[in-house]
Amino acid sequence: MRLVVAAVGKLKSGADKDLYERYAGRCAVGRQIGVTDFSLIEIQESRAERRADRMAQEADGLLSKLKPDSSDAFVLLDEGGAQLSSDALAQFVQARLDVGTARLIFAIGGPDGHGDAIRLAAAKSLSLSKMTLPHGLARIVLAEQIYRAITILTGHPYHRA
């Protein structure tokens, strides 16, 4: 299974990007359980004047890059989504592996949130926190939690419950 983080906006060089890449790179240990790749897809933020137009353009941009299909599991990161423990996220990843999911896609929206088209395409919605996180930090937290889920599944001592 391939893991994909799809995000509106681009991380600039610096500490945020370095930390994201550190956790993304560590996910290579997932090969032991069938995670073959961890990739990032970024699109530019919309410059439309109206909020609804920005959200719609960004949703269309993500969907056109991702082209999700029935073999994928498509998850939105959204403040209104379900909050999972690290163990529950690991169980979710394992369940996707068990059913032969081709890609497990996590989508992070722009500053205005997700547009309707992408909400309709998603099978699940998760929240990293009830607090609002800057998008760069949300990517870092997501990458770390994916790495943590993989270490739980592989029996690596990183996660200490």
Side-chain angles (χ1 to χ4, degrees):
M1 177 174 73
R2 293 178 291 148
L3 295 173
V4 179
V5 173
V8 174
K10 297 189 181 229
L11 283 180
K12 295 179 175 95
S13 294
D16 286 354
K17 188 171 185 177
D18 292 345
L19 193 52
Y20 173 83
E21 289 174 351
R22 178 183 304 162
Y23 286 114
R26 288 181 180 180
C27 288
V29 72
R31 291 192 191 289
Q32 298 173 38
I33 57 169
V35 174
T36 60
D37 187 43
F38 188 98
S39 61
L40 173 66
I41 294 173
E42 296 175 312
I43 66 162
Q44 288 187 328
E45 287 182 34
S46 170
R47 301 263 188 248
E49 286 188 32
R50 292 177 358 136
R51 178 179 188 260
D53 293 340
R54 286 190 302 271
M55 289 168 52
Q57 286 177 0
E58 290 166 356
D60 290 344
L62 284 173
L63 289 171
S64 70
K65 286 259 189 173
L66 293 169
K67 297 177 179 59
D69 63 33
S70 61
S71 66
D72 297 328
F74 190 41
V75 180
L76 286 186
L77 276 287
D78 185 74
E79 64 185 8
Q83 291 189 339
L84 299 180
S85 67
S86 297
D87 286 318
L89 180 61
Q91 291 169 5
F92 176 73
V93 171
Q94 183 64 61
R96 302 286 54 85
L97 285 162
D98 290 347
V99 298
T101 299
R103 291 185 303 171
L104 177 52
I105 302 166
F106 295 91
I108 300 172
D112 297 306
H114 290 289
D116 292 338
I118 203 162
R119 287 184 183 281
L120 291 172
K124 189 170 189 68
S125 180
L126 296 179
S127 173
L128 296 174
S129 171
K130 289 186 179 199
M131 292 184 249
T132 302
L133 299 175
H135 286 73
L137 185 55
R139 285 188 214 187
I140 294 165
V141 171
L142 177 61
E144 191 279 335
Q145 285 299 301
I146 292 170
Y147 171 64
R148 184 176 296 274
I150 289 170
T151 64
I152 290 168
L153 296 174
T154 60
H156 187 281
Y158 177 79
H159 178 71
R160 291 167 178 72

